[in-house]
Amino acid sequence: MKILNFGSINIDYVYGVPHFVKPAETIASSSYNVYIGGKGCNQSVGLAKAGAHVYHAGAIGSDGIWIKNQLQNWRVNVDLLHQIEGPTGHAIIQVEPNGQNSIIIHGGANQSIHLQQIEDALQSFDSNDILLIQNEINGLAELIHQASAKGLKIFFNPAPMTPSVLDLPLDKIDVFIINEVEGEELTQKSFPEDILTSMAQRYPNASILLTLGEKGAIFSHQSGYFSVEAKKVKAVDTTAAGDTFIGFFLASWAEGHTVDTCLQRATSASAICVTRAGGAVSIPTKEEMEAFI
Ligand code: RIB
């Protein structure tokens, strides 16, 4: 089973701030760092660090070549990553002392995906394989149609949520990975149980993995309902916590573990991630996750 993650790569510019900047306010940051990020990239790194073989497809500009090199060091296959004219995607991230973040993204190369690239990327994948996608690249509808026609199992993390997600062929998704905000925007329900019921009614063949931050996570599908509590740790920076969860959940799933084990591993890896600063760099290894458990 191969995993194709077709997703974003960002250069994250991260500022430590006393509080998120308000309208008409100018504040000084207490720290400034540049990290590798992007939801797609972070999830590929999570998968690779969890021990999965992952192919990352997407696009960068020449200013992102250092990220491609680092991805290779982390054993992410980057053969399907294109280099284009123009800038790599980037994010401006404020981090408060309690670890909460606030993010602005600029798509850059992430918004340059074209039909031929999608066709080429899917060529070496078939019905034994998995496609993982997020909502930070263009071309998602075509990607879903083509992957579904080839029988790939599609995991979709509709983050960051935008109204355009509702126009995608969501009936072709096998597993939705959503948080409460995304769940509410998809279903107009705010309680976790209601979100899950509504998602099950709309997409009866799909499984739903609902992450609840400090309240843990729930996995729901036709034959069962599984939940896990979050681990209690002191958060330094929550950036990439959700991406780490997804990477470790999917890597464990691909290894054939039970849903309970997948959830335990994902929650533990994500707990370690929030105790560290940065995006991809804050994602733990499989060994660190096992030691934590
Ligand atoms: O999920 C965290 C990521 O969201 C950051 O790395 C940033 O690049 C944004 O895409």
Side-chain angles (χ1 to χ4, degrees):
M1 177 188 290
K2 301 195 291 289
I3 301 174
L4 170 63
N5 182 12
F6 209 131
S8 59
I9 290 182
N10 286 339
I11 301 171
D12 285 354
Y13 300 102
V14 183
Y15 304 85
V17 290
H19 60 81
F20 298 146
V21 69
K22 297 185 192 127
E25 187 186 30
T26 301
I27 56 174
S29 66
S30 55
S31 62
Y32 166 66
N33 288 288
V34 179
Y35 293 117
I36 294 173
K39 294 184 194 305
C41 176
N42 294 340
Q43 291 176 24
S44 281
V45 173
L47 279 156
K49 288 194 175 183
H53 290 290
V54 55
Y55 295 74
H56 187 97
I60 51 169
S62 56
D63 56 340
I65 291 171
W66 64 281
I67 299 181
K68 180 178 180 181
N69 294 338
Q70 181 55 41
L71 284 174
Q72 280 176 308
N73 292 340
W74 279 322
R75 296 180 193 282
V76 174
N77 185 307
V78 288
D79 292 350
L80 302 171
L81 184 60
H82 282 204
Q83 189 184 323
I84 61 139
E85 295 284 324
T88 300
H90 76 260
I92 292 177
I93 305 183
Q94 301 176 60
V95 180
E96 288 187 334
N98 63 6
Q100 281 303 313
N101 64 31
S102 163
I103 304 180
I104 299 173
I105 53 169
H106 174 73
N110 298 317
Q111 295 297 320
S112 74
I113 309 304
H114 51 84
L115 211 56
Q116 192 60 50
Q117 188 183 357
I118 292 174
E119 276 174 28
D120 292 348
L122 286 170
Q123 228 162 40
S124 28
F125 297 88
D126 59 31
S127 58
N128 297 312
D129 301 325
I130 288 174
L131 171 70
L132 171 63
I133 45 177
Q134 311 76 27
N135 190 31
E136 282 187 343
I137 59 166
N138 69 306
L140 285 178
E142 197 53 43
L143 196 45
I144 294 171
H145 280 303
Q146 288 200 27
S148 169
K150 295 192 82 176
L152 275 79
K153 210 172 180 54
I154 307 177
F155 283 62
F156 182 31
N157 171 222
M161 186 67 191
T162 54
S164 63
V165 165
L166 295 166
D167 298 329
L168 294 173
L170 298 179
D171 55 312
K172 296 183 176 1
I173 302 301
D174 295 284
V175 183
F176 288 91
I177 308 169
I178 53 177
N179 63 22
E180 280 169 292
V181 174
E182 291 140 13
E184 183 165 353
E185 290 189 36
L186 280 168
T187 64
Q188 285 73 57
K189 308 281 182 203
S190 41
F191 292 106
E193 292 73 18
D194 297 338
I195 292 172
L196 290 172
T197 306
S198 177
M199 288 294 286
Q201 283 165 353
R202 286 171 196 216
Y203 312 107
N205 299 320
S207 302
I208 317 297
L209 176 52
L210 178 62
T211 59
L212 302 168
E214 289 171 358
K215 290 174 274 160
I218 301 170
F219 182 88
S220 149
H221 66 150
Q222 284 160 344
S223 60
Y225 182 93
F226 306 83
S227 61
V228 66
E229 286 185 8
K231 314 286 177 205
K232 294 213 180 336
V233 289
K234 184 166 165 25
V236 168
D237 179 357
T238 56
T239 309
D243 301 328
T244 303
F245 188 98
I246 293 168
F248 274 73
F249 182 91
L250 182 49
S252 309
W253 172 290
E255 276 181 21
H257 290 285
T258 62
V259 173
D260 276 327
T261 301
C262 295
L263 287 173
Q264 279 301 338
R265 289 178 166 209
T267 311
S268 302
S270 159
I272 299 171
C273 169
V274 303
T275 64
R276 301 171 176 173
V281 76
S282 67
I283 299 172
T285 60
K286 185 176 186 179
E287 291 71 32
E288 288 173 317
M289 174 275 294
E290 285 169 345
F292 182 93
I293 286 181

